[in-house]
Every structure is written in structure tokens, then in C-alpha cells.
Amino acid sequence: MVMIEDITATEILDSRGNPTIEVTVMLNSGATGRASVPSGASTGAYEACELRDNDAKRYGGKGVLKAVGNVNDIIRKKLIGFPATEQLLIDNELINLDGTKDKSYLGANAILGVSIATAKAAANSLKLPLFKYLGGISGCTIPTPMMNIMNGGKHALGGVDFQEFMIVPGGANSFNDSLRWGSEVYQALKSLLHKKGLATTVGDEGGFAPSLKSHKEVIELILQAIDLAGFKAGTDIALALDPASTEFYIDDKYRLECENLSLTSDQMIEYYEKLVAKYPIISIEDGLSEDDWSGWERLTKQLGSKIQLVGDDLFVTNVERINRGITTKVANAVLIKPNQIGSLSETMNAINLSHCNGYKTVVSHRSGETDDSTIADLAVAINNGQIKTGAPCRQERNSKYNQLLRIEKDLMIQAKFMGFGNFAAYQANRLITAKA
Ligand code: PGA
Ligand code: ZN
């Protein structure tokens, strides 16, 4: 049996230049595993606690030395000698050691770092790639990328209100082609913006963030770029949105500053209905706020049979909130961010609960990322078929896409790529209709 021999943590920097935690787990077999933890900007109120030092003298209070100390001291002492392949046992031990509901004692960042580093060490010890260790012989679907090529909201201050405008190159026959199509559209968009005298500087997730006056304007530019790159919108490449609407839900109104609108839930739903009727949109994430459950019920009734409705801040990868969604028929897909819940086993539980109840899942990065590509392996392992990890630009985003290229190559004929087929059948129908 391979045992944990040592655990160390250090403070490193993420893609935004903020500190985060990196954990290394060493086993008695000589194998090691290293993991670093990402960080959100438009974080949901119900996420597990990201422990920061709040010491204004270091990194503007964002240091993570407390979380690092918790790993190097409390967690290390507890876990040395534990069998590294018993992931559930280890995660449960961490959860019990923490003892709080939101992991605020040890920090969800500390716990997740140890949880993932342990899985990686165990995989290395068994000489298995991480996706194989996590998914066994069944994990072989390379996810369809959802690439955020225009950034707004909290990821690009001064931009439009919606946070993410994604392209989904689901008409391709392989991940390799899908990524290339996305990248070609991204480059076409760059030259288009440049030609129009618009800024080509990028936001936190690598998408462009020019100053524009409406969401439709952003969508029209993306459609032009798809055309310019030689693809057909709606058949080759579809669109997906993450408005991250909790951020602009103020005093019970959705406030779209760039369009000078202040909308009720029902008016916001109507706004989406019009967009969906006009454009080849197949997925909307966090269309309504994390607390607007009754609005979500109506949104799902109105649009749930046409497109994918993803809960991010709404569900926070948390089985209690996902269960509430299932029982109240809210949304039809769940965004999966391991650091929202704080351990690998709990992430897997959230995925299983979603899939068992007919909900799709989308494995996701955070806006503050590192070069850690665990989510790429996770998506292949669970066969969920959808990943969002930013624009095909900036290495902290591309490290995930590149890992998927490697996995697809290694799996050879065993690799499955389902393109739009990973989206619910009704969405495929919608796209086929668009094709006719
Ligand atoms: P975040 O944004 O990582 O800043 O929370 C990503 C998202 O909302 O999906
Ligand atoms: Zn989101």
C-alpha cells in the first residue's frame, strides 16, 4: 500500500498576480503529486471559504500563509501514514479535521490543494495518467470546449455587463479540430476588432474586452468573426453566455448599465428569450441571480426545453443546492468548480448527483488560474463532455486545452469527441434545424 510520507505547501502567484496555495504530497513509493488552487472574482456567496490572511501589509490582505500553515502543520500531522489511494477516506478526514460547514477553519483552498495533490501522487505511484486514475477504463470523452472570447463584467472592468461570451465549436469531429476552429475564430475576431479601431487587450480569461454599448453588438462581432474564419454559426460553431447575473442584481433588479436597463426577473427572462430566438445560443449560465430561485423556475419553464441552463453561483458545486434545484426543477446543468466545494470527492458527488438526475455538467476553470491542468483530466474521467477554460490564449488557459490535446492523442481510437452531441438532444435538434 502506498502511504503519504510528507506534505508541504507554499504560497505562489496566480494568473492575476494574487497569491494562492500550491501543495506537494510525497508517498513512500517515491511518487509525488503537486496541485495549485485557482480563485474566482465573481464568486458565489455560497462557495466554500477561500482562506486569506487579511494582513493588509502583505499582498493587500490576499496572502494565503494561514492556509499554507494549516497544510504544513495540522493537515500534515494528521495525514502522514494514510493510504494515498483511499481518496474518500482522506477527503473525509480533511472535512472532519476542519469541522465547519464552509471549510473556514482550515480553508477550502488548503483542503482542495491536499485533496488533488494526493490524487495526483497516487496516480503517479500507479504510473497512471490522472484521467485514467480518476475515470478508470470508462473515462474517454474529450470535452467540447466552451471558449470565452469576449470578456465583460468583473473580468474586464469598463466592458459590457455580461461576463462571458463563449464560442462552442461543436461541429468538429475531434477535440483537436474543435480547438483549432476556436483559435481561428479568436484570431479572426482580433483582426476584426483591430480593423474597427477597437481595443484588443484581453480580460482575465483571455477574451477581448473592447468598450461596447450593448450585448448584441458583442454577439454580432463574434458572428462576423466566425464568418470571417470560414465557419458557419449555428452548425459549426454555437454560442454560449455566462452573464454571471448575480453581479448586476441589485435591489431585486437586473441592472444592465451598458444598455441603461433595469429589469425585473421576468423582463430579464424576456431579454434572454429574444437573444435565443435571434442567435444560435445553446447555453446560458447564471442567467439569473444565485438567490432568485422563483425567477429561475420561470426561466427554466420558458427556456429549459430549448437550451442548456447552467447554475454556477446558483449551485456552487454543492449537493444541497443542486438537490434544491432538482426538486424545484431549476436549471438543467451544473457548473463544476472543485474549489467551490473544496475536495475532490465532494466534486465527484456533485457530478454524480447531477448526472443521475439528468442534469448536464460543465467542468470549469476560475478567472484566477494557475498552470495546473487537473480539470482537463477530470472532465475526461467523468465523460461529461463539456469544459470551459477561457479563450485559447494565455498559458494558464491553454495548459488545460493542451492537456486535452495530449490526452486525445494518447487515447488514440479510444478517444470520443461528441461535439454538440454532449449537449442535450433538444439542443442538437435545434442545431440541426438551424442547419436545414
Ligand atoms: P470566476 O468566474 O472564476 O471569477 O468566479 C467564472 C464564472 O463565473 O464562471
Ligand atoms: Zn459563471
Coordinates of all heavy atoms in Angstrom, one line a residue, residues 43-51 101-104 107-109 316 318 338-343 346 366:
T43 N -17.3 35.4 -7.4 CA -17.5 34.2 -6.5 C -18.9 34.2 -6.0 O -19.5 35.3 -5.6 CB -16.5 34.2 -5.3 OG1 -16.4 35.5 -4.9 CG2 -15.2 33.7 -5.8
G44 N -19.5 33.0 -5.9 CA -20.9 32.9 -5.4 C -20.8 33.0 -3.8 O -19.8 32.6 -3.2
A45 N -21.9 33.6 -3.3 CA -21.9 33.8 -1.8 C -21.9 32.5 -1.1 O -21.6 32.4 0.1 CB -23.2 34.6 -1.5
Y46 N -22.3 31.4 -1.7 CA -22.4 30.1 -1.0 C -21.3 29.1 -1.3 O -21.3 28.0 -1.0 CB -23.8 29.4 -1.4 CG -24.9 30.4 -1.1 CD1 -25.5 31.1 -2.2 CD2 -25.4 30.6 0.2 CE1 -26.5 32.0 -1.9 CE2 -26.4 31.5 0.4 CZ -27.0 32.2 -0.6 OH -28.0 33.1 -0.4
E47 N -20.2 29.7 -1.8 CA -19.0 28.9 -2.0 C -18.3 28.6 -0.7 O -18.4 29.3 0.3 CB -18.0 29.6 -2.9 CG -18.5 29.8 -4.3 CD -17.4 30.3 -5.3 OE1 -16.2 30.2 -5.0 OE2 -17.7 30.9 -6.3
A48 N -17.5 27.5 -0.7 CA -16.7 27.2 0.5 C -15.7 28.3 0.7 O -15.4 29.1 -0.3 CB -16.0 25.9 0.3
C49 N -15.1 28.4 1.9 CA -14.3 29.6 2.2 C -12.9 29.5 1.7 O -12.2 28.5 1.9 CB -14.2 29.7 3.7 SG -13.0 30.8 4.4
E50 N -12.5 30.5 0.9 CA -11.1 30.6 0.4 C -10.4 31.4 1.5 O -10.6 32.6 1.7 CB -11.1 31.4 -0.9 CG -9.8 31.6 -1.5 CD -10.0 32.5 -2.8 OE1 -10.3 33.7 -2.6 OE2 -9.8 31.9 -3.9
L51 N -9.5 30.7 2.3 CA -8.9 31.3 3.5 C -7.8 32.3 3.0 O -6.8 31.8 2.4 CB -8.4 30.2 4.4 CG -7.9 30.7 5.8 CD1 -9.0 31.3 6.6 CD2 -7.2 29.5 6.5
K101 N -18.9 24.0 8.3 CA -19.7 23.8 7.1 C -19.1 24.3 5.8 O -19.3 23.8 4.8 CB -21.1 24.4 7.3 CG -22.2 23.7 6.5 CD -23.6 24.0 7.1 CE -24.7 23.8 6.1 NZ -24.8 22.7 5.3
D102 N -18.4 25.5 6.0 CA -17.9 26.1 4.8 C -16.3 26.0 4.7 O -15.7 26.7 3.9 CB -18.3 27.6 4.8 CG -17.7 28.4 6.0 OD1 -17.1 27.7 6.9 OD2 -17.8 29.6 6.0
K103 N -15.8 25.1 5.5 CA -14.3 24.9 5.4 C -13.5 26.1 5.8 O -12.4 26.3 5.3 CB -13.9 24.3 4.1 CG -14.6 23.0 3.7 CD -14.0 22.3 2.5 CE -14.6 20.9 2.3 NZ -16.0 20.9 1.9
S104 N -14.1 26.9 6.7 CA -13.4 28.2 7.0 C -12.3 28.0 8.1 O -11.5 28.9 8.3 CB -14.4 29.2 7.5 OG -15.2 28.6 8.5
G107 N -9.6 26.2 5.6 CA -9.6 26.8 4.3 C -9.9 25.8 3.2 O -9.2 24.8 3.1
A108 N -10.9 26.1 2.4 CA -11.2 25.2 1.3 C -10.0 25.1 0.3 O -9.8 24.1 -0.3 CB -12.4 25.7 0.5
N109 N -9.2 26.2 0.2 CA -8.1 26.2 -0.7 C -7.0 25.3 -0.1 O -6.4 24.5 -0.9 CB -7.5 27.6 -0.8 CG -7.5 28.5 0.4 OD1 -8.0 28.1 1.5 ND2 -6.9 29.7 0.3
V316 N -23.0 26.3 -6.8 CA -21.7 26.3 -6.2 C -21.1 24.8 -6.0 O -20.5 24.6 -4.9 CB -21.6 27.1 -4.9 CG1 -21.7 28.6 -5.3 CG2 -22.6 26.8 -3.9
N318 N -22.4 22.3 -5.0 CA -22.8 21.9 -3.6 C -24.0 21.0 -3.7 O -25.1 21.4 -4.2 CB -23.1 23.2 -2.8 CG -23.5 22.9 -1.4 OD1 -24.3 22.0 -1.1 ND2 -22.9 23.6 -0.5
P338 N -14.1 22.6 -8.7 CA -13.7 22.0 -7.4 C -13.5 22.9 -6.3 O -13.8 22.5 -5.1 CB -12.4 21.3 -7.9 CG -12.6 21.0 -9.3 CD -13.3 22.2 -9.8
N339 N -13.0 24.1 -6.5 CA -12.7 25.0 -5.3 C -14.0 25.6 -4.8 O -13.9 26.3 -3.7 CB -11.6 26.0 -5.7 CG -12.2 27.2 -6.3 OD1 -13.1 27.2 -7.2 ND2 -11.6 28.4 -6.0
Q340 N -15.1 25.5 -5.4 CA -16.3 26.0 -4.8 C -16.8 25.1 -3.6 O -17.4 25.6 -2.7 CB -17.5 26.0 -5.8 CG -17.4 27.1 -6.8 CD -18.6 27.1 -7.8 OE1 -19.1 26.1 -8.2 NE2 -19.0 28.3 -8.2
I341 N -16.4 23.8 -3.7 CA -16.8 22.9 -2.6 C -15.6 22.5 -1.8 O -15.7 22.3 -0.6 CB -17.6 21.7 -3.2 CG1 -18.3 20.9 -2.1 CG2 -16.8 20.8 -4.1 CD1 -19.4 21.7 -1.3
G342 N -14.4 22.3 -2.4 CA -13.2 22.2 -1.6 C -12.6 20.8 -1.4 O -11.7 20.7 -0.7
S343 N -13.1 19.8 -2.1 CA -12.4 18.5 -2.1 C -12.8 17.7 -3.4 O -13.9 18.0 -4.0 CB -12.7 17.6 -0.9 OG -14.0 17.1 -1.0
E346 N -16.1 15.4 -2.9 CA -17.3 16.2 -2.9 C -17.6 16.7 -4.3 O -18.8 16.8 -4.7 CB -17.2 17.4 -2.0 CG -17.3 17.0 -0.5 CD -16.9 18.1 0.4 OE1 -15.7 18.5 0.4 OE2 -17.7 18.6 1.2
R366 N -11.4 28.8 -13.1 CA -11.8 30.1 -12.4 C -11.1 31.2 -13.2 O -10.1 31.0 -13.9 CB -11.3 30.1 -10.9 CG -11.8 29.0 -10.0 CD -13.3 28.9 -10.0 NE -14.1 30.1 -9.7 CZ -14.8 30.3 -8.6 NH1 -14.9 29.3 -7.7 NH2 -15.5 31.4 -8.4

